[in-house]
Amino acid sequence: MKDGDPEIRSFAWFTFSEYMKQDRLQDAIAVALPELLGLLKSGDSDIRKAAWSAISELAKQDRLQGEISAALPDFTVLLKYGDPDSRRAAWSAFSKLANQDRLLGPIATSFPDLMTFLKDADTFVRRAAWDTFFELAKQDRLQNTIIKVFPDFMTLLKSEYPDARRAAWSAFSELVKRDQLHNIIIAAIPDFIALMRDEDSFIRTAASSAFSEFAKLDQLQGAIAAALPDVLALLSDVSGSVRSAACSAFSKLATQDRLREEILPALPNFMALLKERDIDVRKAAWSAFSELTDPDKLHDIIIVIIPDFLMLLKDSQWSVRSAACSAFSELAKQDRLYDLITPALPNFVALLEDRHWFVRCEACSAFSQLAEKDRLQEACAAALPDLTALMRDQDSFVRHAACSAFSMLAKHVAGRNRRHSSRLRGSLKRWRCGHPKGCMVCIHQIYEAR
């Protein structure tokens, strides 16, 4: 296994890997284990890598875990040994050792030393170290160990290496869910406030996202109230990614009863992001807006934002009009919001004639959803001429959407109201697909309506 001929070594290691699978050979392998551990220090990197791989497999055998456990203190030294390829192999093997319950105790003892590898200069070593850290962080038995190294962990949130920063923030989002760590996280809130003012936009984004996780935990509500001004200030950040993360944090924080009063002053800044030129920020804002439309939990917020929201149905950007159209149909289905929404129905119906094909499609889709509500069926029936006209639109996507909406109207309206049913039949007689030969999708939808 340490022969000078690479081919012989290869066959020897392959044969040894086959031996490891045989239960009746475990005693013999146990005798040879010290010599195998010695190969981890070999001057040949190929031998070191093969030895680490073999150790990680042998650690799965209960019979051998005692011997491997005794050698673990030496392993942390060996993790620093050799060229980057050997260290990567060592860390890959070590991360597998972390899955073995009997080895957790010795690993916990060497945890502080392992933390230094999370900021190693070699990218692959860092990644392997973080993989191991993630595995260890999942273990309840190691929570006290993690508490001890938490101050060192906090410094990694600002690591000079981007991949280490991402890994640190990802790990943090998992750690924050553990009850045992809440007290130490509360103590670190001032540090997080400082991170939201950091000059690096990535760190500001990550800090904002972290606070949206904090908002989900009742135990942290009181502690994060002091940080709200800094979180809300990120809605106006110069970085688009930071503003996107702040939108998500805003919606999460707004759903918390204890924090809502402090959130209300920032509503104008949030609503402005619904018209943001940056498409990623705009998507994030509309996604966050969709989480604020529960009238039972957030009625006080909805009442404030409805007037500004309805103005977006007439916005100059087609993407804003389409998003507002979709959100309008969701709000209109809420009985408690009926009186607030119905005055804007003419603006909504006007979108069926919008100059942009995508808005017309979105209006058709939203229109079909409104037909499900009895109180809105009169308005839907009144808009039938506009909908019928779209069934002859130049754009095939609009035609298909209009026919689909027509089919939904037939399903929800015709059987309940004779006058509306007559209007539908009249529209159906006048229908003709805008495509010279007709569209199979349109024909199918109208067949379903009939």
Side-chain angles (χ1 to χ4, degrees), residues 221-243:
Q221 297 286 305
I224 67 175
L228 282 179
D230 292 279
V231 178
L232 299 177
L234 297 180
L235 290 169
S236 304
D237 196 89
V238 295
S239 168
S241 61
V242 175
R243 296 197 300 277

Side-chain angles (χ1 to χ4, degrees), residues 20 56 285 358:
M20 290 191 299
S56 68
F358 190 84

Side-chain angles (χ1 to χ4, degrees), residues 411-428:
K411 176 181 177 182
H412 292 288
V413 177
R416 302 178 187 175
N417 188 302
R418 186 171 298 175
R419 181 164 56 88
H420 293 167
S421 182
S422 176
R423 290 168 108 173
L424 282 164
R425 283 197 297 272
S427 297
L428 192 56

Side-chain angles (χ1 to χ4, degrees), residues 267-394:
L267 275 172
N269 290 342
F270 171 74
M271 292 298 292
L273 295 180
L274 296 174
K275 302 172 62 174
E276 171 74 51
R277 289 286 179 183
D278 186 315
I279 187 170
D280 293 326
V281 177
R282 196 167 63 242
K283 285 180 180 178
W286 279 106
S287 176
F289 181 84
S290 68
E291 298 179 24
L292 301 177
T293 55
D294 185 340
D296 295 326
K297 295 181 180 178
L298 301 167
H299 193 259
D300 50 345
I301 285 184
I302 294 175
I303 289 176
V304 174
I305 64 178
I306 283 292
D308 290 334
F309 162 73
L310 294 177
M311 294 298 296
L312 299 179
L313 292 170
K314 298 186 290 184
D315 193 81
S316 60
Q317 297 184 70
W318 69 266
S319 57
V320 174
R321 295 196 303 276
S322 66
C325 182
S326 178
F328 181 90
S329 65
E330 291 300 319
L331 291 171
K333 289 189 288 186
Q334 307 287 352
D335 291 335
R336 292 182 62 184
L337 301 178
Y338 181 79
D339 293 335
L340 292 171
I341 289 294
T342 47
L345 274 171
N347 291 340
F348 171 72
V349 172
L351 294 178
L352 291 169
E353 301 178 5
D354 195 272
R355 60 184 179 274
H356 197 284
W357 68 270
F358 190 84
V359 178
R360 298 197 299 276
C361 282
E362 200 66 43
C364 289
S365 176
F367 202 83
S368 63
Q369 293 182 48
L370 296 184
E372 300 174 7
K373 300 293 291 184
D374 292 341
R375 298 176 69 179
L376 296 172
Q377 287 180 1
E378 183 69 36
C380 290
L384 268 174
D386 297 307
L387 186 62
T388 305
L390 291 183
M391 295 160 71
R392 299 187 292 273
D393 195 272
Q394 292 182 347

